[in-house]
PDB file of all heavy atoms in Angstrom:
ATOM      1  N   THR A 151      -9.138  21.467   8.141  1.00 90.00           N
ATOM      2  CA  THR A 151      -9.716  22.166   7.000  1.00 90.00           C
ATOM      3  C   THR A 151     -11.137  22.551   7.387  1.00 90.00           C
ATOM      4  O   THR A 151     -11.945  21.680   7.705  1.00 90.00           O
ATOM      5  CB  THR A 151      -9.740  21.267   5.743  1.00 90.00           C
ATOM      6  OG1 THR A 151      -8.406  20.912   5.410  1.00 90.00           O
ATOM      7  CG2 THR A 151     -10.376  21.990   4.570  1.00 90.00           C
ATOM      8  N   LEU A 152     -11.405  23.831   7.389  1.00 90.00           N
ATOM      9  CA  LEU A 152     -12.718  24.336   7.765  1.00 90.00           C
ATOM     10  C   LEU A 152     -13.419  24.833   6.510  1.00 90.00           C
ATOM     11  O   LEU A 152     -12.937  25.744   5.844  1.00 90.00           O
ATOM     12  CB  LEU A 152     -12.561  25.477   8.782  1.00 90.00           C
ATOM     13  CG  LEU A 152     -13.835  26.061   9.358  1.00 90.00           C
ATOM     14  CD1 LEU A 152     -14.630  24.996  10.092  1.00 90.00           C
ATOM     15  CD2 LEU A 152     -13.498  27.202  10.296  1.00 90.00           C
ATOM     16  N   VAL A 153     -14.539  24.219   6.174  1.00 90.00           N
ATOM     17  CA  VAL A 153     -15.269  24.597   4.970  1.00 90.00           C
ATOM     18  C   VAL A 153     -16.595  25.240   5.358  1.00 90.00           C
ATOM     19  O   VAL A 153     -17.177  24.896   6.387  1.00 90.00           O
ATOM     20  CB  VAL A 153     -15.508  23.383   4.042  1.00 90.00           C
ATOM     21  CG1 VAL A 153     -14.191  22.788   3.580  1.00 90.00           C
ATOM     22  CG2 VAL A 153     -16.345  22.321   4.708  1.00 90.00           C
ATOM     23  N   PRO A 154     -17.070  26.184   4.544  1.00 88.00           N
ATOM     24  CA  PRO A 154     -18.392  26.753   4.810  1.00 88.00           C
ATOM     25  C   PRO A 154     -19.452  25.661   4.723  1.00 88.00           C
ATOM     26  O   PRO A 154     -19.440  24.843   3.794  1.00 88.00           O
ATOM     27  CB  PRO A 154     -18.572  27.783   3.692  1.00 88.00           C
ATOM     28  CG  PRO A 154     -17.181  28.097   3.226  1.00 88.00           C
ATOM     29  CD  PRO A 154     -16.407  26.821   3.406  1.00 88.00           C
ATOM     30  N   GLY A 155     -20.345  25.642   5.674  1.00 87.00           N
ATOM     31  CA  GLY A 155     -21.358  24.602   5.738  1.00 87.00           C
ATOM     32  C   GLY A 155     -22.397  24.660   4.640  1.00 87.00           C
ATOM     33  O   GLY A 155     -23.149  23.710   4.453  1.00 87.00           O
ATOM     34  N   ASP A 156     -22.417  25.746   3.890  1.00 88.00           N
ATOM     35  CA  ASP A 156     -23.425  25.867   2.830  1.00 88.00           C
ATOM     36  C   ASP A 156     -22.818  25.780   1.438  1.00 88.00           C
ATOM     37  O   ASP A 156     -23.410  26.231   0.461  1.00 88.00           O
ATOM     38  CB  ASP A 156     -24.225  27.155   2.991  1.00 88.00           C
ATOM     39  CG  ASP A 156     -23.358  28.408   2.973  1.00 88.00           C
ATOM     40  OD1 ASP A 156     -22.112  28.285   2.959  1.00 88.00           O
ATOM     41  OD2 ASP A 156     -23.936  29.512   2.996  1.00 88.00           O
ATOM     42  N   LEU A 157     -21.639  25.155   1.316  1.00 86.00           N
ATOM     43  CA  LEU A 157     -21.036  24.975  -0.005  1.00 86.00           C
ATOM     44  C   LEU A 157     -21.935  24.091  -0.878  1.00 86.00           C
ATOM     45  O   LEU A 157     -22.445  23.079  -0.415  1.00 86.00           O
ATOM     46  CB  LEU A 157     -19.676  24.299   0.101  1.00 86.00           C
ATOM     47  CG  LEU A 157     -18.482  25.136   0.523  1.00 86.00           C
ATOM     48  CD1 LEU A 157     -17.235  24.266   0.589  1.00 86.00           C
ATOM     49  CD2 LEU A 157     -18.262  26.297  -0.408  1.00 86.00           C
ATOM     50  N   THR A 158     -22.077  24.474  -2.121  1.00 87.00           N
ATOM     51  CA  THR A 158     -22.832  23.653  -3.063  1.00 87.00           C
ATOM     52  C   THR A 158     -21.911  22.586  -3.645  1.00 87.00           C
ATOM     53  O   THR A 158     -20.684  22.676  -3.526  1.00 87.00           O
ATOM     54  CB  THR A 158     -23.387  24.507  -4.215  1.00 87.00           C
ATOM     55  OG1 THR A 158     -22.271  25.019  -4.975  1.00 87.00           O
ATOM     56  CG2 THR A 158     -24.245  25.662  -3.706  1.00 87.00           C
ATOM     57  N   ASP A 159     -22.501  21.596  -4.299  1.00 86.00           N
ATOM     58  CA  ASP A 159     -21.692  20.553  -4.941  1.00 86.00           C
ATOM     59  C   ASP A 159     -20.739  21.157  -5.969  1.00 86.00           C
ATOM     60  O   ASP A 159     -19.593  20.743  -6.085  1.00 86.00           O
ATOM     61  CB  ASP A 159     -22.587  19.512  -5.607  1.00 86.00           C
ATOM     62  CG  ASP A 159     -23.261  18.596  -4.585  1.00 86.00           C
ATOM     63  OD1 ASP A 159     -22.770  18.507  -3.440  1.00 86.00           O
ATOM     64  OD2 ASP A 159     -24.275  17.963  -4.936  1.00 86.00           O
ATOM     65  N   ALA A 160     -21.228  22.144  -6.729  1.00 89.00           N
ATOM     66  CA  ALA A 160     -20.395  22.785  -7.746  1.00 89.00           C
ATOM     67  C   ALA A 160     -19.228  23.524  -7.093  1.00 89.00           C
ATOM     68  O   ALA A 160     -18.096  23.467  -7.588  1.00 89.00           O
ATOM     69  CB  ALA A 160     -21.225  23.746  -8.601  1.00 89.00           C
ATOM     70  N   GLU A 161     -19.470  24.203  -5.986  1.00 90.00           N
ATOM     71  CA  GLU A 161     -18.398  24.921  -5.293  1.00 90.00           C
ATOM     72  C   GLU A 161     -17.379  23.939  -4.716  1.00 90.00           C
ATOM     73  O   GLU A 161     -16.163  24.180  -4.774  1.00 90.00           O
ATOM     74  CB  GLU A 161     -18.977  25.803  -4.184  1.00 90.00           C
ATOM     75  CG  GLU A 161     -19.761  26.981  -4.725  1.00 90.00           C
ATOM     76  CD  GLU A 161     -20.585  27.709  -3.659  1.00 90.00           C
ATOM     77  OE1 GLU A 161     -21.044  27.052  -2.699  1.00 90.00           O
ATOM     78  OE2 GLU A 161     -20.786  28.925  -3.796  1.00 90.00           O
TER      79      GLU A 161
END
Side-chain angles (χ1 to χ4, degrees):
T151 299
L152 184 60
V153 299
D156 58 353
L157 282 179
T158 65
D159 286 340
E161 290 168 329

